[in-house]
């Protein structure tokens, strides 16, 4: 029996099981180890559930209409985001290379798996190898399912509107790779080895709609570079005393200060030097910084002009994203919230995932108080499809997939 047939049989069985579970959920104490009463108290309900035929599934990736996972046999699986229905499963990689990211392009019908030494391409609709009709109309476009990399990918990739995959390499270069043609078109060296996925950041540069588009990337020698997305030239850089080990975030002020003609945008950098920094996106000049008592290893999360930062062994801290002071403005620290923000509820509460204690916590954004707690004892990965008012997607230790949506 092929892997595809096994998935089809499992999906059919699970459709029956999940349909029955929908009617029985009121009588059931738990679903996939989740307490139903606590789920309701947290404002969520089970929308769908599926079971992967693979083992040790990882790298959950959410796009506009799909959820992708990879299993330990390097099978890439696509699920429908709204229904949880299995769509296809296809082999990628060689079980030797690490797979760093799953990427869709905003235009086109191809899914890419970015690994150490190659980028693998599959048709989005079928999971089959790509055909010439799915590639660029240019006669030079290639149809190979494997694009070998001259510059080893050390990070996941980000995709751009113009069809590039941008990743960090093991020799300290940011690489622009064109998967249609099968080779890199631009690269920029920023320093030592890169181990953090680049961040695409943009912000207004005038009132007439012009945007500054940058790729911001840290390297292991403490360098942080902001490089122009189109020209691949340096806009600014800073040198830190220790490396940044997590992705950089950014945000734009929702209001104007007295001396401003357009909203300001800042990059927010959490460092292993224990500083949380806000850097002006246009100039690279410091906006503010705050010294914590712990090494920072989680990305800052920006929601509605507030920066949320997990402080290991301390709790979740909230800072004004755009204060008037260079020393920053701390709003609160919640010493009983040990996760980071993954989304918000439809009433504006923070939804925080604590992967150490397997807890989903609903938190008041004004004072940091815990509103409710939902234990997820069997969860391996928890993520959301959007930063505000998103659904919750859970992958369990026994490779089940669940979607929780907010109750109305």
């Amino acid at each position: 029996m092929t892997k595809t047939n096994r998935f089809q049989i499992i999906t059919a069985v699970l459709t029956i099981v999940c349909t029955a579970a929908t009617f029985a959920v009121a009588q059931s104490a738990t679903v996939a180890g989740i307490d139903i009463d606590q789920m309701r108290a947290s404002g969520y309900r089970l929308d769908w559930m599926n079971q992967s035929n693979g083992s040790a599934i990882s790298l959950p990736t959410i796009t506009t209409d799909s959820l992708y996972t990879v299993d330990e046999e390097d099978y890439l699986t696509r699920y429908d985001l709204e229904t949880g229905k299995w769509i296809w499963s296809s082999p990628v990689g060689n079980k030797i290379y690490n797979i760093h990211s799953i990427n869709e392009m905003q235009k086109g019908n191809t899914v890419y798996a970015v690994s150490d030494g190659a980028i693998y391409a599959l048709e989005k609709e079928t999971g089959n190898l790509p055909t010439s009709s799915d590639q660029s109309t240019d006669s030079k476009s290639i149809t190979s399912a494997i694009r070998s990399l001259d510059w080893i990918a050390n990070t996941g990739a980000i995709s751009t509107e113009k069809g590039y995959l941008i990743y960090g390499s093991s020799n300290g270069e940011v690489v622009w790779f064109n998967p249609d043609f099968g080779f890199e078109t631009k690269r920029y060296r920023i320093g030592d080895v890169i181990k953090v996925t680049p961040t695409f950041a943009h912000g207004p540069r005038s009132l007439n709609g012009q945007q500054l588009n940058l790729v911001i990337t840290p390297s292991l020698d403490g360098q942080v570079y902001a490089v122009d997305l189109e020209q691949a030239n340096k806009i600014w850089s800073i040198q830190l005393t220790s490396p940044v080990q997590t992705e950089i975030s950014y945000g734009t002020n929702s209001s104007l200060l007295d001396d401003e003609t357009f909203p300001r945008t800042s990059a927010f950098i959490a460092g292993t030097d224990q500083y949380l920094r806000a850097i002006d996106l246009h100039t690279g000049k410091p906006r503010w910084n705050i010294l914590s008592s712990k090494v920072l290893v989680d990305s800052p999360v920006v929601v509605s002009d507030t920066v949320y930062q997990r402080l290991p062994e301390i709790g979740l801290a909230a800072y004004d994203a755009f204060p008037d002071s260079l020393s920053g403005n701390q709003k609160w620290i919640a010493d009983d919230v040990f996760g980071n923000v993954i989304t918000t509820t439809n009433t504006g509460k923070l939804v925080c995932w604590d992967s150490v204690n397997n807890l989903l916590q609903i938190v008041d954004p004004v004072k940091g108080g815990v509103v409710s707690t939902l234990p997820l004892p069997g969860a391996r990965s928890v993520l959301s499809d959007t930063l505000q008012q998103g659904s919750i997607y859970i992958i369990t230790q026994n490779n089940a997939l669940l979607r929780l949506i907010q109750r109305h």
Side-chain angles (χ1 to χ4, degrees), residues 304-308 318-321 329-333 365-366:
S304 301
D305 293 344
T306 300
V307 180
Y308 298 98
Y319 305 95
D320 186 351
N329 177 37
Q330 179 180 290
K331 294 183 174 182
W332 48 258
I333 292 182
V366 178

Side-chain angles (χ1 to χ4, degrees), residues 76 88 90-92 103 105 108-113 119-136 141-147 177 179-182:
L76 173 62
W88 52 255
S90 295
V92 295
N103 298 83
M105 293 300 182
N109 182 37
T110 309
V111 179
Y112 299 99
I119 294 178
Y120 300 85
L122 297 171
E123 291 182 350
K124 177 180 176 180
E125 295 304 317
T126 65
N128 296 331
L129 302 183
T131 60
S132 58
S133 61
D134 295 312
Q135 303 298 324
S136 166
S141 66
I142 64 173
T143 59
S144 171
I146 303 176
R147 284 80 157 143
F177 187 88
D180 282 342
F181 292 89

Side-chain angles (χ1 to χ4, degrees), residues 34-35 38-45 336-345 349-363 370-379 381-384 390-394 402-406:
I34 306 173
D35 185 276
Q38 290 178 317
M39 187 191 304
R40 289 171 177 162
S42 297
Y44 286 91
R45 65 178 179 85
D336 53 354
V337 180
F338 292 103
N340 215 349
V341 178
I342 60 172
T343 189
T344 65
T345 69
K349 301 293 191 300
L350 306 174
V351 181
C352 303
W353 167 237
D354 178 356
S355 61
V356 175
N357 299 298
N358 279 32
L359 294 177
L360 197 71
Q361 293 178 295
I362 311 301
V363 178
V370 177
V371 177
S372 62
T373 298
L374 177 61
L376 302 176
S381 300
V382 176
L383 66 163
S384 180
S391 300
I392 305 297
Y393 298 83
I394 303 168
L402 301 88
R403 181 193 192 193
L404 307 185
I405 61 174
Q406 293 184 46

Side-chain angles (χ1 to χ4, degrees), residues 135-180:
Q135 303 298 324
S136 166
T137 56
D138 192 296
S139 60
K140 296 181 181 179
S141 66
I142 64 173
T143 59
S144 171
I146 303 176
R147 284 80 157 143
S148 296
L149 299 178
D150 294 329
W151 307 94
I152 299 300
N154 219 32
T155 74
I158 55 175
S159 55
T160 72
E161 290 184 355
K162 294 190 176 182
Y164 292 108
L165 294 170
I166 302 176
Y167 65 86
S169 73
S170 58
N171 66 342
E173 292 190 312
V174 182
V175 178
W176 279 249
F177 187 88
N178 186 325
D180 282 342

